[in-house]
Amino acid sequence: MLNKLESLLAQTDFELSRDQKQKLIDYVGMLNKWNKAYNLTSVRDPEQMLVRHIMDSIVVNPLLSGTRFIDVGTGPGLPGVPLAIVRPDSHFTLLDSLGKRVRFLRQVQHELDLPNIEPVQSRVEEFIPEPPFDGVISRAFASLEDMLSWCHHLPKPVEGRFYALKGTLSEDEVAKLPDGFMLESIFPLTIPELSEQRHLVILKSN
């Protein structure tokens, strides 16, 4: 697994410590183990998890601004856990409404010794941020329109950003942004050994 991860990282500009690499591998190991009972992800092969979950998550790291983030609809901790491992000076609140996922994340926090993640069980519209976040991150969570309407209260008013990790992106979805929000930028993402389209959409209040 370490060789596989290093071969993937070699196709990017990422430089990670041995400890960071080991934590990413250990996280995949936990995901694979718990998946059998908890059905956390449809990806069953650990090497594919490195591509589809680890690389797919950390590729956005250079595009994030700030140090306090919330990962909404985090599921088993994606992209929040991999990002927390590669970005140890930032803090990630991992929000999910399902208890089994939050229990898994608490175990991840304990076993991987990740003080910079905070698993929280809550519906996003009921969660009160104190203080507001630098960035609101979602991966395969909802349409842009739904993300903004459900998460509008989470980021800082002016400098806060919404980061949506998307696959294919339709012009129609971008055109349907609710009033009060604007598109800042769209970045096509390249994931090693993944031929499918990926984009990071960055939005803000106006």
Side-chain angles (χ1 to χ4, degrees), residues 91-107:
H91 186 273
F92 291 82
T93 297
L94 308 178
L95 193 75
D96 203 275
S97 59
L98 267 189
K100 69 176 184 179
R101 294 175 184 154
V102 174
R103 283 194 294 278
F104 169 71
L105 291 171
R106 289 190 181 124
Q107 194 64 27

Side-chain angles (χ1 to χ4, degrees), residues 60-73:
V60 302
N61 181 50
L63 301 169
L64 303 179
S65 298
T67 57
R68 290 187 69 257
F69 299 92
I70 182 167
D71 178 9
V72 294

Side-chain angles (χ1 to χ4, degrees), residues 142-145 164 166 168-177:
S143 68
L144 296 177
E145 186 178 16
K166 308 287 287 185
T168 52
L169 193 63
S170 71
E171 290 180 14
D172 192 43
E173 186 177 356
V174 175
K176 285 183 176 175
L177 297 182

Side-chain angles (χ1 to χ4, degrees), residues 18-198:
R18 184 165 185 88
D19 181 59
Q20 286 172 314
K21 292 174 191 173
Q22 190 58 53
K23 283 186 176 179
L24 290 171
I25 290 166
D26 290 346
Y27 171 61
V28 166
M30 291 185 68
L31 200 51
N32 186 47
K33 177 182 168 187
W34 283 59
N35 207 27
K36 294 173 176 65
Y38 275 53
N39 198 28
L40 298 168
T41 167
S42 59
V43 180
R44 300 295 178 188
D45 174 36
E47 289 201 354
Q48 276 300 302
M49 289 181 188
L50 286 177
V51 175
R52 292 182 167 276
H53 291 336
I54 302 302
M55 300 307 297
D56 200 26
S57 293
I58 67 174
V59 72
V60 302
N61 181 50
L63 301 169
L64 303 179
S65 298
T67 57
R68 290 187 69 257
F69 299 92
I70 182 167
D71 178 9
V72 294
T74 187
L78 298 165
V81 169
L83 283 170
I85 291 170
V86 302
R87 199 182 180 94
D89 295 331
S90 293
H91 186 273
F92 291 82
T93 297
L94 308 178
L95 193 75
D96 203 275
S97 59
L98 267 189
K100 69 176 184 179
R101 294 175 184 154
V102 174
R103 283 194 294 278
F104 169 71
L105 291 171
R106 289 190 181 124
Q107 194 64 27
V108 168
Q109 182 181 31
H110 171 70
E111 285 191 30
L112 301 189
D113 187 24
L114 293 177
N116 63 329
I117 66 170
E118 182 186 357
V120 176
Q121 184 179 353
S122 173
R123 291 171 58 85
V124 63
E125 55 269 44
E126 295 168 0
F127 180 74
I128 307 300
E130 277 301 329
F133 294 94
D134 296 318
V136 179
I137 304 173
S138 79
R139 177 180 184 260
F141 169 66
S143 68
L144 296 177
E145 186 178 16
D146 285 345
M147 179 192 181
L148 293 172
S149 61
W150 294 340
C151 304
H152 63 90
H153 60 297
L154 298 176
K156 291 178 179 175
V158 178
E159 62 266 42
R161 294 292 183 271
F162 298 89
Y163 299 94
L165 284 71
K166 308 287 287 185
T168 52
L169 193 63
S170 71
E171 290 180 14
D172 192 43
E173 186 177 356
V174 175
K176 285 183 176 175
L177 297 182
D179 290 341
F181 298 96
M182 61 179 286
L183 175 68
E184 186 167 272
S185 44
I186 299 175
F187 293 95
L189 303 171
T190 302
I191 319 294
E193 298 184 19
L194 190 67
S195 57
E196 299 156 26
Q197 285 191 23
R198 293 288 188 273

